[in-house]
Amino acid sequence: MSAIHLMNPISEQELLKLKAGDRVLLSGTIYTARDAAHKRMFEALERGEELPFDVKGQTIYYVGPTPSKPGHVIGSAGPTTSGRMDKYTPSLLDLGLKGMIGKGYRSEEVIESMKKNKAVYFAAIGGSGALIARTIQSVEVVAYEDLGPEAIYKLTIKDFPAVVIVDSEGNDWYKIGKLQFQ
């Protein structure tokens, strides 16, 4: 099965076609945010403040990239465990976030929120940070620069490899795939 090429932000029409287990190559613009950035965004929302970028229709990559080496735009950029963001995720999905990239399982609360908001969860392969870094063409700090690697970055990517783990209908490849291979 060949990979599906997708441009970020992903149109709702394309997003709804994706099924758990689909291999994708993502291009376009995505944003990064890890634990500390998610906490700050959540606190800003609780205070009634705007987020540092409009999440509507966007994809967030759970990564804290390492510093870039000379001649590179970014250092290693492998995914971090997504479950650490679960307590903040439903709020962002309600604001229109459509995609998340990370590794590991998502809570039932997040999956239900994804179904309600028609969003998708992609997994990137852990341990492949150097390979993933090669798909990143540009990096720009958007907010929370004081957090260093956990700041929010805007990334321009080309052919970033990922797998649809949870589709917009709530189908979870970690559960479905396990059943198929038993």
Side-chain angles (χ1 to χ4, degrees):
M1 179 170 112
S2 63
I4 300 165
H5 290 265
L6 295 170
M7 183 60 70
N8 278 289
I10 303 166
S11 73
E12 187 164 318
Q13 179 182 5
E14 290 295 316
L15 186 136
L16 295 175
K17 290 181 195 175
L18 296 174
K19 299 297 173 206
D22 285 348
R23 292 182 315 156
V24 299
L25 293 171
L26 303 169
S27 296
T29 300
I30 61 174
Y31 292 85
T32 71
R34 280 187 48 159
D35 314 50
H38 273 76
K39 183 176 188 237
R40 284 194 188 175
M41 288 190 293
F42 186 77
E43 291 168 348
L45 290 173
E46 285 184 324
R47 292 189 302 267
E49 299 170 4
E50 288 190 21
L51 296 179
F53 71 100
D54 185 1
V55 299
K56 188 172 178 136
Q58 300 298 334
T59 297
I60 292 179
Y61 181 26
Y62 304 139
V63 62
T66 63
S68 62
K69 295 178 182 174
H72 295 86
V73 297
I74 198 167
S76 183
T80 196
T81 304
S82 303
R84 295 196 319 255
M85 274 48 79
D86 280 1
K87 63 185 168 186
Y88 310 116
T89 301
S91 297
L92 297 174
L93 290 168
D94 287 345
L95 290 174
L97 181 68
K98 290 297 181 186
M100 298 153 288
I101 306 168
K103 67 179 182 181
Y105 296 94
R106 302 312 300 262
S107 69
E108 285 303 316
E109 180 186 6
V110 168
I111 292 172
E112 286 303 312
S113 185
M114 289 173 60
K115 285 168 43 178
K116 176 182 124 186
N117 293 291
K118 301 295 181 205
V120 174
Y121 170 52
F122 301 99
I125 297 173
S128 63
L131 171 66
I132 289 171
R134 291 186 211 157
T135 72
I136 300 169
Q137 298 179 321
S138 70
V139 178
E140 172 189 337
V141 176
V142 172
Y144 313 140
E145 189 169 6
D146 62 300
L147 295 178
E150 290 201 37
I152 295 176
Y153 296 90
K154 179 180 177 181
L155 305 180
T156 302
I157 58 173
K158 183 166 180 9
D159 294 336
F160 180 114
V163 175
V164 176
I165 298 300
V166 180
D167 62 30
S168 62
E169 296 173 0
N171 299 305
D172 186 336
W173 182 245
Y174 289 140
K175 294 176 184 171
I176 296 167
K178 183 177 181 180
L179 294 174
Q180 288 181 349
F181 296 109
Q182 287 184 350

